[in-house]
Amino acid sequence: MLDASLLAEYVKTGEAYDLSDLCRKSDVSSKQVAQIVVASSLDEVDKLPGYTMTSEIFELAENLYSISESRRNWQLMRNRHKPSYLENRLSRVALKRLELDPMKRKRHYANIYFRAWAVFWDDDFVIRMIHKVDSRIIASLPEELITEKICVTAVSNSGLMLRYVPVSLRSAVVCAQAVQNDPAAIAFTPGHLRDQIRELQAIEFD
């Protein structure tokens, strides 16, 4: 069984693209893994998946690296992990070329999602990533950053993503959208909403 220390070592390879899945399967908090990585060195912080850099982890890193000889490197690192920096690195011409190759385009935006720190995200950024990468990224989102707007977008693309929506956000609106996309999503709808959702679907298709 993987523990937080082993997963932190994995992060240090710089290729921990599946960290959220491994944490879920190992019942390990990604926050704990991020804390270990941040405490190890500034160079290792650069390798954290962006979704682990929540405001809490960012504050920890800020306290460690903004008041020492690492201050300038920390400031530079902060800037290059902002969505605005990552999304604007390519020229318009290069972006148009990407549109001609769906696989390259998806890899490009997946890398942006992986590198951009969650502390700098907003709803619009996450929604762009859902459209350009995959609805499944909702499974790796820090729960405190998930909003109903994000949930509706994710389940509109793939109803079964309802399984990754926090229970507290499985509202009638979100669940109805999920079931409309994929009737099998009713399995992930809270019991007290199922009859209501079925009725809404029946009315829609009458």
Side-chain angles (χ1 to χ4, degrees), residues 39-191:
S40 60
S41 77
L42 182 57
D43 286 342
E44 306 302 350
V45 173
D46 203 30
K47 300 170 185 174
L48 277 168
Y51 54 79
T52 65
M53 187 56 81
T54 61
S55 56
E56 183 179 350
I57 299 301
F58 181 83
E59 184 177 355
L60 173 63
E62 182 94 341
N63 290 337
L64 285 172
Y65 301 113
S66 67
I67 54 175
S68 65
E69 63 276 6
S70 301
R71 181 178 180 181
R72 176 165 172 73
N73 287 336
W74 165 243
Q75 290 174 334
L76 291 171
M77 185 181 294
R78 285 175 48 172
N79 289 336
R80 68 173 177 263
H81 284 279
K82 290 180 178 179
S84 57
Y85 170 80
L86 292 163
E87 289 187 283
N88 291 311
R89 285 184 301 170
L90 294 185
S91 66
R92 289 184 179 179
V93 172
L95 287 172
K96 285 183 178 179
R97 286 176 182 160
L98 268 184
E99 293 302 315
L100 301 176
D101 189 327
M103 291 301 295
K104 284 185 179 179
R105 181 184 63 209
K106 186 169 183 176
R107 283 197 299 269
H108 171 71
Y109 286 105
N111 184 62
I112 289 175
Y113 172 70
F114 184 76
R115 303 300 298 166
W117 285 353
V119 68
F120 300 128
W121 293 356
D122 58 19
D123 275 12
D124 289 341
F125 171 74
V126 176
I127 288 169
R128 281 198 302 279
M129 294 302 102
I130 287 173
H131 286 310
K132 292 180 179 296
V133 182
D134 198 298
S135 293
R136 285 175 290 185
I137 68 172
I138 195 172
S140 65
L141 295 181
E143 190 165 328
E144 64 266 29
L145 296 181
I146 302 177
T147 64
E148 184 174 76
K149 186 177 178 182
I150 289 171
C151 295
V152 168
T153 302
V155 302
S156 295
N157 287 357
S158 175
L160 292 180
M161 291 303 101
L162 185 61
R163 75 178 73 184
Y164 299 118
V165 171
V167 174
S168 61
L169 286 171
R170 295 185 195 182
S171 64
V173 171
V174 173
C175 293
Q177 194 67 53
V179 173
Q180 181 177 349
N181 177 271
D182 189 333
I186 196 71
F188 305 106
T189 300

